[in-house]
Amino acid sequence: MSEQPQQDAIQPAQPQQPQLSVETMMNRLGRCAAEQSGFINCPIYRGSTNLFDNFAASTMKGAEFRYGTFGNPTRANLEKAWTALTGGAGTLALSSGAQAVAYALMAVLNAGDNVLMTDTAYLPTRKFCDGFLSKKGISTVYYDPCITPEDLRELLRKYPNTTALFMESPGSQTFEVQDVPGLCAVAHEFNVATLIDNTWATPLFFDAHAKGCDISIEAGTKYLSGHSDLIMGLISANATWFPTIKETLMLFQSTPGDESCFLALRGLRTMYLRVREAERRGLEMARFMESRPEVLKVLHPAMSDCPGHEIWKRDFTGSTAVFSVILLPKYTLKDVEHMLDSYKIFQMGFSWGGFESLVMYYDCTSYRTATAFAPGGLLVRYQIGLENMEDLKDDLSQGFDHLRSE
């Protein structure tokens, strides 16, 4: 993938050989020791005011850094590195994944427009659509994540004011995999912008832009961070949409924390290894769960009975360590409470992608509107961390013992 910088000044060191692997690229992107007094990592730049060498420089509107809200070298290095990784025309870093979703939608939508939103979208995304966008005269129609391209064509005919298609593949909690290339092809027939939340797979396992997405959104909070100690959002866009995205962000002058950008760059160095290890651990634990008599079904895109599994095999190059299990219908919510409260290693908490193992119960009934949430039993989502796998299996096993004994 080649980088297409959105700014002209400070350039990070780029791989000189196109055949370099992604691991090597991630080692080198977003840093240049020659510009950092020989130090390997870009330092944290903090500040509001930029000084100009002379009057002429102060009047150059094309200068990379004019004021703190325009960015700084730390942020610019992160954005350029992510652009190279995603293959987009440019990237903008924001303060959270939810903020990235919000700004991307605001950039492509206007009053009177409609957005087609996957019914499995991250709950804050739904709340933004149903709250803020609705008040601004923008409608949202939720669709079945397993929709076919032909079904999408019918929806676009039914809602001719649609200007954006929003996907999330796999979906939050229930992990349906969408036919992104097919859906994007149809959307573009109708001149509809295509957006995707690509947080689960990351650009390492799903090449969103190559599959037809105009705009790809990532919660860097998750696997880019890897350590549960920063909040970060990233928007990468193709050449058609990046200028609009950038203009929108410049109007809001919203900036991520400088330390967060530094931590994100640091996380980038080990991201490939961590995500590959997450894949190994996630698959091993999903198979362990599948073998348990208390489990009705495992919702992991790499498992054959997960909705969209064949599409996952076609379009993805890997998987990560977040998945759900559906328990047998005989178990009650009180049973699940006993199980989760008994865990010694797995802890209850939102988010994922860090080093710690997490678990959460979800009931999507109240916020699925295009499709009925009827999984056949209670749903529990797991994030597999970096603890010893046998310790994790022992913790899950004793949890199942509490589930059966109550």
Side-chain angles (χ1 to χ4, degrees):
M1 301 178 196
S2 62
E3 182 184 10
Q4 302 177 48
Q6 72 264 31
Q7 296 171 320
D8 298 326
I10 301 173
Q11 297 293 323
Q14 297 297 317
Q16 299 301 308
Q17 305 172 50
Q19 69 269 24
L20 289 179
S21 64
V22 67
E23 302 103 296
T24 304
M25 285 180 61
M26 295 175 75
N27 179 287
R28 300 184 178 195
L29 291 171
R31 64 182 181 87
C32 182
E35 294 171 357
Q36 296 152 193
S37 302
F39 287 94
I40 293 175
N41 291 315
C42 177
I44 301 174
Y45 284 79
R46 298 186 178 93
S48 57
T49 301
N50 289 71
L51 298 179
F52 302 98
D53 291 338
N54 50 53
F55 176 80
S58 72
T59 60
M60 289 177 58
K61 294 186 178 179
E64 183 171 22
F65 306 121
R66 294 180 56 81
Y67 190 68
T69 52
F70 284 67
N72 59 47
T74 312
R75 175 180 168 188
N77 277 317
L78 171 63
E79 292 173 340
K80 291 169 184 174
W82 198 255
T83 296
L85 188 62
T86 63
T91 296
L92 290 165
L94 298 102
S95 298
S96 70
Q99 190 180 71
V101 169
Y103 281 161
L105 287 170
M106 286 192 289
V108 302
L109 295 167
N110 295 297
D113 288 348
N114 178 68
V115 56
L116 289 178
M117 175 65 62
T118 177
D119 204 31
T120 53
Y122 178 52
L123 188 54
T125 300
R126 295 184 71 107
K127 290 182 176 179
F128 180 77
C129 291
D130 297 339
F132 183 87
L133 292 185
S134 177
K135 292 176 183 177
K136 301 303 178 185
I138 298 168
S139 58
T140 301
V141 171
Y142 294 95
Y143 66 90
D144 184 341
C146 297
I147 193 172
T148 67
E150 190 53 45
D151 290 336
L152 175 62
R153 188 174 279 109
E154 291 303 312
L155 265 183
L156 290 171
R157 289 172 179 152
K158 183 177 180 180
Y159 299 99
N161 63 327
T162 299
T163 56
L165 170 71
F166 195 102
M167 298 162 284
E168 181 178 302
S169 183
S172 294
Q173 288 98 55
T174 45
F175 295 92
E176 296 90 338
V177 180
Q178 298 189 255
D179 183 1
V180 173
L183 298 179
C184 286
V186 171
H188 289 151
E189 289 177 21
F190 289 78
N191 199 31
V192 168
T194 54
L195 303 85
I196 189 169
D197 184 333
N198 195 33
T199 302
W200 182 86
T202 82
L204 297 177
F205 290 156
F206 186 77
D207 191 344
H209 293 305
K211 294 294 189 292
C213 299
D214 298 311
I215 299 166
S216 181
I217 299 156
E218 184 93 12
T221 308
K222 311 300 200 281
Y223 281 116
L224 176 59
S225 163
H227 294 80
S228 303
D229 56 3
L230 73 89
I231 304 290
M232 171 68 63
L234 297 151
I235 305 172
S236 66
N238 60 20
T240 300
W241 279 103
F242 181 68
T244 302
I245 297 287
K246 183 175 180 180
E247 179 184 19
T248 301
L249 266 292
M250 289 298 98
L251 290 172
F252 280 96
Q253 297 199 11
S254 178
T255 61
D258 302 322
E259 183 173 346
S260 293
C261 291
F262 173 84
L263 290 174
L265 277 168
R266 188 176 70 174
L268 186 72
R269 309 305 168 209
T270 60
M271 181 178 170
Y272 182 87
L273 294 175
R274 288 186 287 101
V275 172
R276 278 296 181 194
E277 179 65 9
E279 176 183 38
R280 184 188 72 80
R281 288 166 167 268
L283 287 171
E284 181 178 339
M285 199 61 76
R287 294 182 184 115
F288 172 78
M289 291 290 206
E290 193 176 43
S291 71
R292 294 293 309 196
E294 303 87 354
V295 173
L296 176 67
K297 185 186 295 186
V298 176
L299 298 178
H300 185 301
M303 308 299 279
S304 60
D305 56 353
C306 187
H309 169 70
E310 292 302 318
I311 296 173
W312 174 82
K313 287 202 300 183
R314 182 194 72 190
D315 293 342
F316 289 69
T317 59
S319 60
T320 53
V322 188
F323 62 90
S324 292
V325 301
I326 300 169
L327 299 172
L328 293 176
K330 67 179 181 179
Y331 296 116
T332 67
L333 185 57
K334 196 68 178 177
D335 295 330
V336 172
E337 180 181 352
H338 288 304
M339 180 177 74
L340 268 60
D341 282 345
S342 76
Y343 286 145
K344 304 299 188 294
I345 300 176
F346 283 89
Q347 296 179 293
M348 284 172 274
F350 293 105
S351 196
W352 38 269
F355 55 85
E356 74 288 358
S357 291
L358 299 172
V359 60
M360 287 294 287
Y361 160 77
Y362 285 99
D363 179 0
C364 308
T365 306
S366 64
Y367 52 89
R368 293 287 168 85
T369 54
T371 52
F373 178 70
L378 299 179
L379 183 148
V380 181
R381 191 182 76 179
Y382 290 89
Q383 132 81 10
I384 309 304
L386 299 179
E387 301 91 346
N388 178 272
M389 289 292 284
E390 294 308 312
D391 289 343
L392 292 177
K393 290 176 183 177
D394 288 345
D395 199 32
L396 291 172
S397 295
Q398 68 84 29
F400 284 127
D401 290 342
H402 280 81
L403 181 72
R404 291 196 305 269
S405 65
E406 297 296 337

